[in-house]
Amino acid sequence: MAEQVLTDGKEVSWSSVKELLRQRGVGPQSGGGVSQLLSAMRAHGWIDALQLRGNKSLLVAGRNIAQSRAWQARHGGRQAGEGIALTRLPAPGAGRGERAAHRFAEFARRGMSFNQAALLDFMHVANEQHRAMRLTLERFDAPGKRRGASLHQLFEATLALSQLLSRRTQQAAQQNFELLRQYFHDRDPVSPRMSLVLNWQRQQDKDILTYAVARDSLVDYPSSGSRIDENTGFAQVAARGTYYLNNNIPSSILEGSYANPRLDNAYVARLRERYSTDRRGAIPLSDWSKVWGEDCAADARSCYQSTLIVPLALRRDGLSTEFDRVLQERLESYLNEIGKKSDSQLILGFLCFDHPRTEYFNADEDVEVGHVFASLLSLYLFNQIMLTNLSSTFTRCLAQFTESQRRQVQLALVEMADTYSAAGGPPMPHFDLGATTPSALFRIREAPL
């Protein structure tokens, strides 16, 4: 594959790589395995891809191809520039690559412009609630008869802060989900399902749990409480510090390379006996809902076949030594071992995209868009952390409460509302779904009266 795709300059699409590997008898043979292989090669810079249409791409040599063992074996260890020119194929159709780049830039700009105003609003309202909690603590701390607040009032003020931060974080996520729906709107009649998932440490056994604090739609199954190592996507993102992309979950399930706490493992084991990956088998659609142990008729996205997970992360290389030390100390209960696995960043959660179709996501623009919006959403999360975990006032308030009360305050931060209309703040953005130009598509419109 390295010879044909990377050095001979032949036109090879993502969908043809699996057949190429089968012919040569090398590498993974399943769709999920091929997808992960190509994602890893792109992450190393060995390959790149030119956007064609929808989620179709054309593979070309990447910027670091001369460092790959395949290149060096073919060319006797020579590096790029030693008589061998890297051939990069032109994008089919004049200007198509430029238009895709413009679309991405325009979309990212609109997202950042919207979140600038939304984040300022979030910070103002949250800081006012934090100020009310601080004033209540000052009245509670007053000596003797001068005490102007009861323990119950202090608890209510602290709980109100947690509940407000949770509601406003959910609202910010919903607004950004609406933006992202417009990014995907022309690819398939069904848009991907999106969710914002945070890490949390369970007190009794120190397990790291994942809590879905925001979803673009309600689900019929529990949204929280599973261990991070029970989900292959979360576990790999936490361990590697980068995104996880799987465009063929059925093949990965048959291979035994994908785990999810929602899967019916007993039924999966029986399917593996019936559909061997060696015979290039697949899971029939009639069996797919049974794999998930539920009925997918209400929302097919709940039984997804493609997934993209991007970390909500804070890079540590730009932090001062003092701030980094405070983060490590005060986020101990939030991060536990997950945050310590990476020397370069702190991972506090995940932005997730799921779709019921295989081969839905591409490893180029989709991943970049995912990183942009994960970074934007992480700003709301880190502001929440500044007012709770890193706040000495919040810590002093918690010290006054019983264990049960402290737990109630902490769980309020990750509790997902049953409805999305409860949160206050700026109106949801509205978009012109019939727009034909990028500028019109991503223009935020006023909500109708």
Side-chain angles (χ1 to χ4, degrees):
M1 182 180 69
E3 292 179 359
Q4 184 171 347
V5 176
L6 307 177
T7 62
D8 287 348
K10 296 188 177 178
E11 296 188 8
V12 178
S13 65
W14 288 77
S15 59
S16 66
V17 171
K18 182 178 178 181
E19 179 63 21
L20 183 61
L21 290 173
R22 187 190 67 80
Q23 292 174 357
R24 302 205 173 186
V26 296
Q29 301 296 304
S30 71
V34 171
S35 179
Q36 293 182 42
L37 170 65
L38 292 175
S39 296
M41 293 177 70
R42 182 177 178 273
H44 283 86
W46 297 343
I47 62 172
D48 205 342
L50 296 174
Q51 184 75 18
L52 298 181
R53 183 179 179 184
N55 66 328
K56 303 299 183 183
S57 300
L58 184 71
L59 295 180
V60 296
R63 63 186 182 278
N64 297 328
I65 179 57
Q67 300 174 16
S68 73
R69 289 192 297 269
W71 174 281
Q72 294 173 8
R74 179 182 173 116
H75 297 288
R78 287 177 291 175
Q79 297 298 308
E82 296 181 316
I84 300 175
L86 290 179
T87 300
R88 298 188 65 88
L89 300 175
R96 181 173 291 170
E98 287 79 0
R99 288 197 299 272
H102 173 75
R103 181 177 184 272
F104 168 75
E106 175 78 5
F107 184 79
R109 183 178 69 83
R110 291 291 177 180
M112 288 185 282
S113 178
F114 171 78
N115 280 281
Q116 179 188 46
L119 181 62
L120 287 173
D121 183 275
F122 177 95
M123 293 171 63
H124 169 73
V125 174
N127 276 284
E128 285 298 304
Q129 187 66 51
H130 186 275
R131 177 175 176 270
M133 180 188 68
R134 176 176 56 81
L135 294 176
T136 304
L137 177 63
E138 290 176 358
R139 294 196 301 270
F140 176 79
D141 282 342
K145 295 182 179 181
R146 295 176 54 193
R147 172 174 288 185
S150 65
L151 179 61
H152 176 73
Q153 290 173 320
L154 181 62
F155 172 72
E156 289 296 321
T158 308
L159 182 62
L161 174 63
S162 290
Q163 292 171 337
L164 173 71
L165 291 171
S166 177
R167 290 197 307 271
R168 295 305 294 265
T169 299
Q170 290 178 47
Q171 181 199 36
Q174 294 303 325
Q175 291 167 326
N176 280 279
F177 291 162
E178 180 65 22
L179 279 165
L180 285 162
R181 271 192 289 271
Q182 311 321 310
Y183 166 73
F184 289 108
H185 91 280
D186 60 350
R187 187 175 303 182
D188 190 272
V190 178
S191 63
R193 187 181 65 168
M194 291 164 273
S195 58
L196 184 65
V197 178
L198 302 185
N199 304 326
W200 201 258
Q201 183 180 20
R202 188 160 52 191
Q203 294 295 324
Q204 58 266 36
D205 53 16
K206 306 301 182 182
D207 271 346
I208 298 297
L209 306 181
T210 56
Y211 278 78
V213 296
R215 293 186 183 276
D216 70 336
S217 58
L218 296 177
V219 297
D220 294 331
Y221 53 85
S223 296
S224 59
S226 59
R227 295 199 318 271
I228 195 169
D229 57 4
E230 293 178 313
N231 186 301
T232 299
F234 294 154
Q236 290 198 15
V237 171
R240 300 175 182 177
T242 186
Y243 69 91
Y244 173 82
L245 173 63
N246 190 330
N247 265 329
N248 198 324
I249 292 177
S251 290
S252 296
I253 288 176
L254 290 179
E255 285 183 322
S257 60
Y258 181 80
N260 189 305
R262 290 178 50 219
L263 297 180
D264 185 336
N265 291 323
Y267 191 78
V268 167
R270 293 195 295 271
L271 283 180
R272 286 177 184 154
E273 297 178 359
R274 291 164 52 191
Y275 305 107
S276 170
T277 55
D278 294 336
R279 298 196 302 269
R280 304 175 66 194
I283 300 176
L285 291 177
S286 59
D287 287 324
W288 189 234
S289 62
K290 299 176 184 177
V291 168
W292 291 95
E294 58 191 70
D295 183 7
C296 302
D299 186 354
R301 301 179 306 169
S302 292
C303 303
Y304 49 91
Q305 300 190 64
S306 295
T307 187
L308 171 63
I309 302 175
V310 183
L312 293 170
L314 173 66
R315 293 198 62 83
R316 298 171 57 189
D317 48 14
L319 302 179
S320 67
T321 303
E322 174 62 21
F323 186 54
D324 186 61
R325 180 185 61 80
V326 172
L327 281 175
Q328 290 288 359
E329 290 177 354
R330 299 196 182 182
L331 295 185
E332 180 74 21
S333 63
Y334 214 109
L335 298 171
N336 199 272
E337 296 303 319
I338 294 177
K340 297 175 183 177
K341 286 183 178 179
S342 173
D343 293 330
S344 61
Q345 60 184 352
L346 298 175
I347 298 176
L348 294 102
F350 315 92
L351 176 59
C352 307
F353 304 87
D354 306 317
H355 197 271
R357 198 185 83 194
T358 59
E359 306 301 332
Y360 179 82
F361 300 105
N362 66 65
D364 300 291
E365 194 175 341
D366 292 356
V367 172
E368 297 303 325
V369 166
H371 278 298
V372 167
F373 277 84
S375 295
L376 291 172
L377 287 169
S378 71
L379 295 177
Y380 298 92
L381 176 59
F382 288 122
N383 269 277
Q384 174 179 308
I385 291 172
M386 293 288 289
L387 296 176
T388 54
N389 296 73
L390 302 185
S391 168
S392 58
T393 300
F394 186 81
T395 303
R396 286 171 56 200
C397 289
L398 289 183
Q400 309 299 322
F401 306 146
T402 64
E403 180 62 31
S404 175
Q405 289 175 320
R406 285 195 294 270
R407 186 64 175 166
Q408 187 176 348
V409 169
Q410 291 167 343
L411 285 178
L413 290 170
V414 294
E415 188 172 53
M416 187 162 58
D418 291 332
T419 177
Y420 303 133
S421 60
M428 293 283 286
H430 288 254
F431 302 89
D432 182 4
L433 296 181
T436 57
T437 64
S439 295
L441 173 62
F442 301 125
R443 185 175 295 122
I444 296 176
R445 305 189 183 284
E446 293 295 330
L449 296 177

